[in-house]
Amino acid sequence: MDVILGKIATLGPPLLLGAVTTVTITLVSLIIAIILGLTLALIQRARITWLNWIIAAYIELFRNTPVLAQLFIIYFGLPYLGYKIPSFLAAVIGLGLNGGAVLAEVFRAGIAAIHVGQREASLSVGMTPWMAMRYIILPQTWRMTLPPTGNYAIALFKDTAVVSAIAAPEIMFYARTLVASTFETAFIYLLVALIYFVLAFPMARLVDRLERQQRAWL
Amino acid sequence: MAALLRVDDLYKDFAGLKVLKGVSMTLERGHKTAIIGPSGCGKSTLLRCINYMETPTAGHIHLDGELFGETQNGGKYQRMSEKQLARQRSQVGMVFQGFYLWPHLNARDNVAIAPMKVRGMEKRAAYELADAMLEKVHMSHKRDEFPERLSGGQQQRVAIARALAQQPKLMLFDEPTSALDPELVGEVLKVIQELAAEGISMVLVTHEVRFARQVADHVIFLGDGVVVEEGAPDQVIGAPKHERLRSFLKQILEH
Amino acid sequence: MISDLASFFATYEENWASWWPQLLPAIWVTIKLTAASFLLALAIGFLLALGKLSRNRLLRAFATGYVELARGIPALAILFILYFGLLPVGIVLDAFVAGFIGLGMSGGGYFAEVFRAGILAVHKGQREAAASVGMTPFTSFRWIILPQAMRVILPPMMNLFISLLKDTSLCSLITAPELMLRAKDLAMMSFLPMHLFVLAGALYFLLAWPMSLLARHFERRMRRGYRAG
Ligand SMILES: Nc1ncnc2c1ncn2[C@@H]1O[C@H](COP(=O)(O)OP(=O)(O)OP(=O)(O)O)[C@@H](O)[C@H]1O
Ligand SMILES: [Mg+2]
């Protein structure tokens, strides 16, 4: 028992430091993804054909390739074209762009699920299309898209583990460095799994609750 | 003085399907026109063209002497910008068959949001206005409830209050009682009748022929996208000239 | 700009002969990894779903715990535990084996929920109706419940397949000789990272996209089916 506690005392702090970066990367990427996804979903509604083609291509490309390939292109590929990007930035850009494609679909579906009558009633009282979106459609969309957005956030949190491959200093990266210096392989990776789980579990509970509430509302 | 509403030779196609084939009508201030006709004959389409929820394929609308939904430049007509259109639409209240209350807002906010956001009213003033309108439709006691907790009749009355809060020149009703359980129809009709008595101008699409006869001063029978017969209620409903109108009335009054 | 692009593609032409023989077997490994982990995920997910619906409390608790764990732990962590973490206890797993087991375990947790939702989506009356015409529980499951549940399950099942296909790239980090690893090796050797990672991305896309289209097609068809029914 003492041995284990001793190990935790030496290995814990650097891993927790990594966990802070993991959470930071998750939050920053999530914000990028939400802004990007919402913007794309709104642009899609304007039905400008060529723009919609571009957005659809973007979504298909990012949803059908591994995030690891996207990160490698940004981190290893762009320097080849003369743009060197630090690993943290590359990580949030890669995850953010990837998430933008996921959430664009979520928001698009959410907006489309609102009955056209809601919009027509808004227009009939003299709202502009933008006001109808802002005051009537989006507030209803939030409620519906919150659970899938939450599920995406959990997936994103787990996906941050892959950015260790481009040397962003998050949990997994620290873990790999520690393994190299201490050879406590099994212990470290189990500890890492535990840390991820402990952080993700409350989030998962929250999302489940939102999902149940939403079902009650519908 | 120009009529309040003038509809000139209106046509509407949906991807080749001709729904309106040259409909004209006028409505004087304070008057009430009822539109009746079989399902699918284009009643809703006509109403939705009047406030440009649908853009007519041909023909023009004038509200209060002003060209509606379009700008005229030389001989050319052009659909106006959404902003201008929104300003014009705020002069026309619309009540839908499906109510379409906004589920994320309570009754009072449903009524108050347009005055606040469209007309830039202060919250206090908008709430006072909303309360007054809810009073008119006898819904003051439910002003804090959300739509899901209201019956269909109550929802429709709030929707009427929402439209009234625009202080519109004209009210459009599209089968306001068709989605209601029979026992709830009366309360909505009563509200509409009170509004009519107040002198509010309205165009009313309805299947309630007896009600139309009571409140309207003019009845239009629409068949297959054209006005088949129109005139005073007693004449159109009481002594129909066309065979199609007769069989339509017979069918409806048998229920 | 145009000439840049032209020279960018010219590089592919020059190197194609040396890259392709290395990438082709790697693509094959990626496909095998995907298929193996998919089958494992289906099996685990199916058993877990039965566990979650079972009347035995222990089974239920185990299945629930498994699903929660899989939902909170990154697949990469599981891969590292299997591949590096078992070495000290004397278990040496081949990278391919560790890869498909890890991805299968991770995907199984996700699939358990899908499967359970699919089974629950079938109205209880259906089972009772099947029993009333004299079907055994097995016959009713096979011919009544399963076909209806499939409508709910098939689209997420295809999405799981696509996710797994993309996630096989993680196995490069435990040195499984799949597409991403080969691309990375070639990138380092040739100093052409942009070319190789774009190429790898394109190859994944070619594998994943048809499946995506198919999944969407099914989703639409199933929604229509429900509305009609
Ligand atoms: N947006 C649309 N696109 C295509 N066709 C439409 C559209 N709106 C209406 N129609 C068609 O136009 C015709 C007239 O529809 P409309 O809703 O005006 O009929 P209505 O007289 O109001 O009927 P009801 O009494 O059933 O409400 C119908 O055949 C309908 O299918
Ligand atoms: Mg209608």
Side-chain angles (χ1 to χ4, degrees), chain B residues 43-44 97 174-175 205:
Chain B
K43 305 179 298 290
S44 297
Q97 182 176 347
D174 189 1
E175 300 193 30
V205 171

Side-chain angles (χ1 to χ4, degrees), chain B residues 30-32 95 136-138 156-157 160 164 171 173 176-177 185-202 204 206 208-217:
Chain B
H31 284 221
K32 296 103 200 155
V95 175
K136 252 191 186 170
V137 299
H138 317 297
Q156 191 61 299
R157 285 188 281 148
I160 293 173
L164 289 175
M171 286 283 285
F173 292 88
T177 58
V185 168
E187 61 188 65
V188 173
L189 292 184
K190 178 170 161 252
V191 164
I192 296 173
Q193 195 160 25
E194 286 165 3
L195 296 178
E198 255 182 55
I200 290 180
S201 317
M202 56 177 80
L204 170 70
T206 184
E208 306 281 338
V209 175
R210 284 186 203 91
F211 179 71
R213 193 171 179 171
Q214 263 174 42
V215 294
D217 37 43

